[in-house]
Amino acid sequence: MSESEKGKAVLYDGNRCIGCRACSVACKSWNKNSADKESDNGVEITGGIEGKTQLSARTFTFMRYREIGDGYDLHWAFAKIQCMHCLNPACETACIVGALRRDEETGAVLYNQAKCIGCRYCMVACPFGIPTYQWDRPSPWIRKCTFCADRQNGGLSPACVTACPTGALEIFDERQQAIEEAHRRIEASPDKYVDRVYGEKEAGGTSWMYISPVDFQDLDFPNVTNESVPRNARKAMGALPYYAAGVIVLMAGAYWYTKRRQKIAAGEHEKKEG
């Protein structure tokens, strides 16, 4: 087992989920997050039966509902959305002050507010579009699912896992155990699952993984490459100083050109006056 694969993992089973949203309620309760207001920077809270339709600084997880099929074959499919807690987090690589790091003990990608400078590179780097920002605060910070690292350190499971009444969320001490269980269920009931474990390989692997009765594209999961995203983030961050230097040179050139034109214009004006 590589260093990046250490830590716990959660398996979400779409065949066991009934869309009750107990996980969402438990998350808000444990993190003491209030409800989103409809006026909060365009946060959409009227998503029909599903209620919330996106993450926010006050909502670290929500249940996505999708109608699949038509006519008498119409049925609901669900997916719980939160931070995927990548094995090689792009947000960690993009953060220039080390405010984000993956904890090998819990598998959580943790955020240190004391180090954050609010550049929001992590929001740009995340291939799943997870980190959010406190747009309504005068001193805003990044917010996202913590994998309940505080509960895990106290010997408890994440609040959402504990609240799930159907066993759709299950935590494993090792990620490989979750992968093996996911494939066991798929092989045991191939007519009930699509043959894919989302998160096993996406973005180089994540600590949250999914199995589903419907294609993940029908649930609007992003089509993420299997390549570890930090490679791209590292390239982008490495090129940043060169882009910055280029912008400085360009701005200096524009300043010199403008001043030069002003000086020539002033000289011609003096000749006419003389």
Side-chain angles (χ1 to χ4, degrees), residues 13-14 20 92 123 127 134 153 171 174 179 207 223 230 239 244 252-253 264:
D13 189 332
C20 68
E92 180 182 14
M123 296 175 67
Q134 294 175 309
N153 290 331
I171 189 167
E174 296 180 5
I179 293 173
S207 293
N223 189 19
I264 293 173

Side-chain angles (χ1 to χ4, degrees), residues 124-180:
V124 178
C126 177
F128 301 103
I130 297 300
T132 60
Y133 200 57
Q134 294 175 309
W135 297 103
D136 60 339
R137 298 284 184 86
S139 299
W141 304 108
I142 293 294
R143 287 290 179 265
K144 72 174 194 67
C145 163
T146 65
F147 206 162
C148 282
D150 51 350
R151 287 176 60 93
Q152 289 199 53
N153 290 331
L156 300 173
S157 294
C160 57
V161 174
T162 302
C164 182
T166 62
L169 293 169
E170 187 173 356
I171 189 167
F172 295 81
D173 289 334
E174 296 180 5
R175 183 171 179 272
Q176 187 58 35
Q177 295 174 335
I179 293 173
E180 291 174 0

Side-chain angles (χ1 to χ4, degrees), residues 202-273:
E202 282 74 9
T206 63
S207 293
W208 277 73
M209 289 171 283
Y210 296 74
I211 51 177
S212 170
V214 301
D215 194 278
F216 288 100
Q217 289 185 340
D218 293 334
L219 292 167
D220 293 333
F221 275 60
N223 189 19
V224 177
T225 176
N226 291 344
E227 184 179 4
S228 179
V229 178
R231 292 184 182 179
N232 298 328
R234 196 171 290 117
K235 289 178 183 176
M237 296 306 293
L240 190 60
Y242 300 101
Y243 284 117
V247 170
I248 291 173
V249 170
L250 183 63
M251 294 300 292
Y255 177 78
W256 176 85
Y257 180 72
T258 301
K259 287 296 183 183
R260 177 67 176 167
R261 286 180 60 87
Q262 290 176 348
K263 188 175 181 180
I264 293 173
E268 291 176 349
H269 180 72
E270 288 177 359
K271 287 180 181 178
K272 289 180 180 178
E273 290 295 324

Side-chain angles (χ1 to χ4, degrees), residues 14-221:
N15 270 316
R16 295 184 178 184
C17 181
I18 58 175
C20 68
R21 293 187 293 187
C23 52
S24 301
V25 175
C27 177
K28 275 194 174 291
S29 177
W30 179 255
N31 291 291
K32 298 180 173 58
N33 284 336
S34 60
D36 279 307
K37 300 175 184 176
E38 194 167 5
S39 59
D40 285 349
N41 299 292
V43 172
E44 179 62 53
I45 62 172
T46 54
I49 190 173
E50 65 183 334
K52 278 292 307 228
T53 58
Q54 66 186 76
L55 301 175
S56 76
R58 295 190 180 97
T59 299
F60 297 165
T61 185
F62 71 93
M63 187 60 65
R64 178 175 291 161
Y65 291 62
R66 290 292 180 268
E67 287 183 338
I68 306 297
D70 51 28
Y72 291 107
D73 191 36
L74 186 67
H75 61 277
W76 287 103
F78 313 108
K80 181 182 177 298
I81 307 301
Q82 77 294 303
C83 176
M84 298 291 285
H85 296 280
C86 301
L87 303 185
N88 298 292
C91 58
E92 180 182 14
T93 303
C95 183
I96 58 178
V97 294
L100 288 153
R101 68 172 181 84
R102 183 176 187 273
D103 180 55
E104 293 179 358
E105 186 70 24
T106 61
V109 178
L110 302 174
Y111 168 69
N112 187 340
Q113 180 176 301
K115 293 184 177 180
C116 182
I117 58 173
C119 67
R120 305 196 298 277
Y121 286 162
C122 55
M123 296 175 67
V124 178
C126 177
F128 301 103
I130 297 300
T132 60
Y133 200 57
Q134 294 175 309
W135 297 103
D136 60 339
R137 298 284 184 86
S139 299
W141 304 108
I142 293 294
R143 287 290 179 265
K144 72 174 194 67
C145 163
T146 65
F147 206 162
C148 282
D150 51 350
R151 287 176 60 93
Q152 289 199 53
N153 290 331
L156 300 173
S157 294
C160 57
V161 174
T162 302
C164 182
T166 62
L169 293 169
E170 187 173 356
I171 189 167
F172 295 81
D173 289 334
E174 296 180 5
R175 183 171 179 272
Q176 187 58 35
Q177 295 174 335
I179 293 173
E180 291 174 0
E181 176 61 17
H183 284 290
R184 186 195 68 76
R185 293 181 194 178
I186 293 172
E187 292 173 6
S189 304
D191 56 326
K192 293 184 178 180
Y193 296 95
V194 295
D195 188 13
R196 182 181 181 185
V197 180
Y198 191 93
E200 179 182 3
K201 297 178 180 177
E202 282 74 9
T206 63
S207 293
W208 277 73
M209 289 171 283
Y210 296 74
I211 51 177
S212 170
V214 301
D215 194 278
F216 288 100
Q217 289 185 340
D218 293 334
L219 292 167
D220 293 333
F221 275 60

